[in-house]
Amino acid sequence: EMASSHLFVIGMLVCMDLSASHFLHGGSITKSSMITMMHSCRISQHKATEVGYTMQLRGGGNQKDPILCRIKKGGMHFEAICVAGMVEKFREGKATKDDVLVGNDIFKDHKTGDRPSAAELEAAFGTADVDKCMDEILEKGEFQLTAAERKQKTDEKTAQILTFIHQNYLDPGTGLPHPVTRIENAIKAVKGLKVEPLRAAETQAMELVKRIKDVLPMIKSEVEATVAVPLKMLGAVGGVLHKVCTVRKESVTDEEGIFWVSFLPGDHDHVLAELSRATKGQFDLKIAGASHDRAGVRTGSGRSESPRIGAGGRGGPGKGKGGKAAAAANDK
């Protein structure tokens, strides 16, 4: 243990071009404090390797390339040094905080070793408790990916984006969906377009559609429908519908409010779920052109089972649920 510590200290000092004699002949330096110093001083990995030392982190096993998890709060940046690949597992409940963290320190800038004061933590997080602040950083902060992780997540996100565009947009010339390969080639043809592995696929897909329209014209494959609700729920439902779909027209009778709406096929289940939540099942949704024989409505049951309209939106595939919803359309 003593030899290992000395090797580590020598590696540290070689990288900093300092004399090792003072530390080797006196004083006390713990391994954990030296690990923090290594990262704070931006020590290159190969220098430590030259003296035969590999960092042993809290998560267990050898880890050569720790990553940062960052969050911005109260106008300040906060950072934690973490084991690569462990932050996501922590958020999934598959790893503990001890598995994730290299050390217990919170930095404002790990490069300089600048740490926030208790007052700064209190102002940003509402508490000066380092453990509670660290929890929020790990749960909500942005974390770096290794090269392999980034490639895997980028490939997965690209597939989701291509599927979303294929299922929710049409070729205006034929009225049919563009083939996935054609969409992929159009994205590659426009310079500067790139897929971000940690952003929502739907958001990126809609942004990409706007960018590639000159290369590959397309129009939304929208579902048109009417939604009827009791007058007492008019205000609440109106707010929900304006968030989850496009409201084209509204009218009011003596008994109910009626909305003419449109939405992407993949958002069908999401629209039904939001309506059900807002009205507790007291709504009637009818898809334009849908056959009522296929709607699967169970009057008075508080539930409606609809054939799947499409996949790829926020609702995804599956059966929609809603009060008296008579919602159905052919798969596209």
Side-chain angles (χ1 to χ4, degrees):
E1 178 66 25
M2 181 64 71
S4 175
S5 297
H6 281 185
L7 284 172
F8 183 77
V9 172
I10 292 171
M12 173 70 182
L13 297 174
V14 165
C15 297
M16 297 177 67
D17 293 322
L18 298 176
S19 170
S21 60
H22 172 73
F23 292 97
L24 292 177
H25 296 289
S28 175
I29 302 176
T30 65
K31 186 183 295 184
S32 61
S33 65
M34 294 305 296
I35 291 175
T36 300
M37 289 176 65
M38 281 279 283
H39 292 287
S40 299
C41 298
R42 305 179 69 181
I43 301 303
S44 60
Q45 182 64 40
H46 75 278
K47 290 292 185 181
T49 304
E50 286 177 5
V51 292
Y53 185 86
T54 303
M55 288 186 295
Q56 184 78 19
L57 303 185
R58 293 173 61 183
N62 293 326
Q63 178 64 38
K64 294 184 178 181
D65 299 303
I67 55 97
L68 294 177
C69 187
R70 299 184 176 105
I71 194 170
K72 183 177 181 180
K73 288 182 71 70
M76 292 181 286
H77 291 271
F78 300 93
E79 304 173 341
I81 302 174
C82 304
V83 180
M86 296 302 291
V87 176
E88 196 165 18
K89 290 182 179 180
F90 172 78
R91 294 179 180 180
E92 295 170 351
K94 298 177 181 178
T96 67
K97 188 158 60 176
D98 280 346
D99 295 328
V100 179
L101 294 173
V102 172
N104 290 318
D105 294 302
I106 295 175
F107 295 94
K108 289 198 294 184
D109 185 346
H110 76 286
K111 297 174 185 177
T112 62
D114 187 18
R115 295 169 174 78
S117 65
E120 288 173 325
L121 291 176
E122 181 75 38
F125 295 92
T127 178
D129 187 313
V130 173
D131 282 339
K132 291 180 179 179
C133 296
M134 187 70 81
D135 286 340
E136 186 168 346
I137 293 172
L138 294 179
E139 290 167 2
K140 299 180 181 179
E142 295 182 358
F143 60 93
Q144 298 169 315
L145 298 173
T146 64
E149 288 174 331
R150 178 168 291 277
K151 183 180 184 307
Q152 178 185 349
K153 289 185 178 295
T154 299
D155 290 345
E156 292 172 353
K157 193 69 68 175
T158 299
Q160 294 170 12
I161 290 170
L162 293 174
T163 299
F164 181 90
I165 295 174
H166 173 71
Q167 293 178 335
N168 292 289
Y169 291 85
L170 303 174
D171 180 343
T174 65
L176 298 173
H178 286 293
V180 171
T181 302
R182 187 185 300 167
I183 299 169
E184 186 175 15
N185 290 336
I187 293 174
K188 292 178 179 178
V190 179
K191 291 183 178 180
L193 292 186
K194 64 179 181 179
V195 172
E196 299 179 34
L198 299 180
R199 288 185 66 210
E202 179 181 343
T203 301
Q204 293 191 74
M206 291 189 287
E207 292 173 354
L208 288 173
V209 165
K210 295 177 182 178
R211 298 283 303 276
I212 66 175
K213 275 189 174 180
D214 291 339
V215 177
L216 188 66
M218 59 181 71
I219 57 174
K220 284 184 179 180
S221 172
E222 292 189 313
V223 174
E224 295 185 353
T226 59
V227 179
V229 297
L231 289 177
K232 64 181 180 180
M233 297 182 176
L234 197 58
V237 171
V240 169
L241 288 176
H242 278 282
K243 289 181 180 179
V244 300
C245 55
T246 300
V247 178
R248 302 189 178 279
K249 181 181 174 182
E250 302 177 32
S251 69
V252 179
T253 69
D254 292 338
E255 298 181 351
E256 61 185 7
I258 302 174
F259 299 84
W260 281 259
V261 303
S262 62
F263 49 86
L264 295 176
D267 284 341
H268 170 252
D269 289 354
H270 180 63
V271 171
L272 288 179
E274 289 299 304
L275 282 171
S276 183
R277 181 185 60 79
T279 66
K280 300 189 184 302
Q282 299 181 61
F283 70 93
D284 181 34
L285 186 149
K286 295 180 180 178
I287 302 297
S291 169
H292 291 291
D293 292 337
R294 296 180 64 229
V297 180
R298 300 180 181 181
T299 305
S301 69
R303 184 173 180 232
S304 170
E305 295 187 359
S306 312
R308 194 179 78 184
I309 289 179
R314 287 168 291 191
K319 295 180 179 180
K321 296 181 181 180
K324 298 184 295 179
N330 295 329
D331 285 337
K332 294 187 181 289

